[in-house]
Amino acid sequence: MTKGLRLVLFGPPGAGKGTQAQLLRERLNLTHISSGDLFRHHLGLGTPLGLRAKEYMNRGDLVPDEVTIDIILEKVMSIPSDGGFILDGFPRNPNQADVLDKKLAADSRDLDVVVHLKVSESELLNRLGGRYICRDCQSPHSIGEGEDTTDKKCDRCGAGLYQRDDDAPAAVMKRIEVYNEETTPLLGFYQQRGVLVEIPGDHSVDRVNKLIMTALNS
Ligand code: AMP
């Protein structure tokens, strides 16, 4: 049996990581691990982890590494060694990347590819302002300005939609700033490793997906 692809989806908030992860997961039969979805799941259940994460998330800050790293690595390492995965939203700072790198290397399952979705800041602000999330399956949906959201349901599972607290304008600006300062240094790290692929993410969902598939096949 061939081994599954080990992939990181990298990019700023609103770049389309969650949307592309859903598509790639289905096409390539990969396990999708989203750190943000995991925190929101705990937040919804009101667990101690969710309550701890909430204050950081609402501000647009990163949740501390001592909370984040163990739960994500536990999920990654529970995947069978020949199983592929998509990491979406992790790693997000040099320490997380370093710990992940060492853990995977110790198990001889290094990352195959890091896909960087590049999107302009104006497009990010535009997208996040109209982003609504499914209460159940967490799929992101784009709602046009002025469009009535009252009866909108999830395209995938039919559950209701909501707007994330951290998609409010102040938190969005903070998240973009945190991305620029704490997360973008990882691009150099992965480029040196020879696993970084740059994809222009300003296009439609389908177009971006085609660009990613072409890059993965080449
Ligand atoms: P996301 O859904 O990926 O935009 O993540 C939402 C929020 O969850 C982020 O703004 C952070 O507060 C938190 N978060 C998600 N992933 C991480 C991570 N790898 N490290 C620290 N905090 C994270």
Side-chain angles (χ1 to χ4, degrees):
M1 190 183 142
T2 51
K3 82 162 184 65
L5 196 66
R6 297 186 285 259
L7 180 151
V8 168
L9 268 180
F10 192 97
K17 300 187 295 296
T19 305
Q20 293 300 331
Q22 302 260 20
L23 295 172
L24 294 172
R25 180 189 69 176
E26 283 160 15
R27 285 188 120 178
L28 304 173
N29 192 24
L30 306 175
T31 302
H32 175 202
I33 300 174
S34 158
S35 41
D37 284 356
L38 192 73
F39 286 136
R40 280 185 289 281
H41 177 71
H42 278 271
L43 208 101
L45 294 177
T47 67
L49 170 69
L51 296 175
R52 174 101 201 267
K54 183 178 176 180
E55 54 171 316
Y56 297 96
M57 293 173 79
N58 285 354
R59 278 203 307 266
D61 275 326
L62 294 187
V63 178
D65 284 355
E66 72 264 20
V67 179
T68 307
I69 291 178
D70 285 351
I71 54 162
I72 298 298
L73 287 188
E74 192 192 313
K75 290 222 169 277
V76 175
M77 301 318 284
S78 72
I79 297 169
S81 54
D82 59 355
F85 58 79
I86 305 173
L87 281 176
D88 155 13
F90 184 94
R92 239 169 163 113
N93 64 26
N95 183 44
Q96 293 180 5
D98 192 45
V99 177
L100 174 71
D101 195 52
K102 291 197 171 101
K103 190 88 180 169
L104 291 176
D107 209 34
S108 303
R109 41 171 153 173
D110 294 319
L111 292 173
D112 295 308
V113 61
V114 174
V115 173
H116 175 207
L117 298 175
K118 289 177 76 171
V119 179
S120 65
E121 195 166 308
S122 58
E123 175 69 11
L124 294 177
L125 294 174
N126 194 20
R127 285 185 190 178
L128 291 169
R131 180 164 79 170
Y132 282 72
I133 308 293
C134 173
R135 288 194 184 282
D136 238 22
C137 73
Q138 313 259 355
S139 291
H141 294 68
S142 176
I143 307 281
E145 211 179 323
E147 212 179 313
D148 184 14
T149 56
T150 336
D151 293 323
K152 282 268 180 202
K153 299 284 181 236
C154 174
D155 296 342
R156 283 174 166 269
C157 71
L161 304 179
Y162 76 104
Q163 194 161 32
R164 284 168 46 172
D165 287 345
D166 62 349
D167 279 346
V172 163
M173 289 312 294
K174 177 70 181 173
R175 285 160 66 209
I176 292 176
E177 192 185 305
V178 167
Y179 173 77
N180 288 334
E181 281 173 15
E182 300 191 43
T183 311
T184 54
L186 302 189
L187 290 170
F189 175 80
Y190 288 124
Q191 189 160 36
Q192 273 188 354
R193 292 285 165 105
V195 290
L196 187 69
V197 170
E198 303 272 9
I199 300 289
D202 269 349
H203 306 290
S204 69
V205 170
D206 280 353
R207 172 106 181 98
V208 173
N209 191 248
K210 284 202 179 83
L211 291 170
I212 296 175
M213 288 307 293
T214 306
L216 294 183
N217 287 328
S218 67

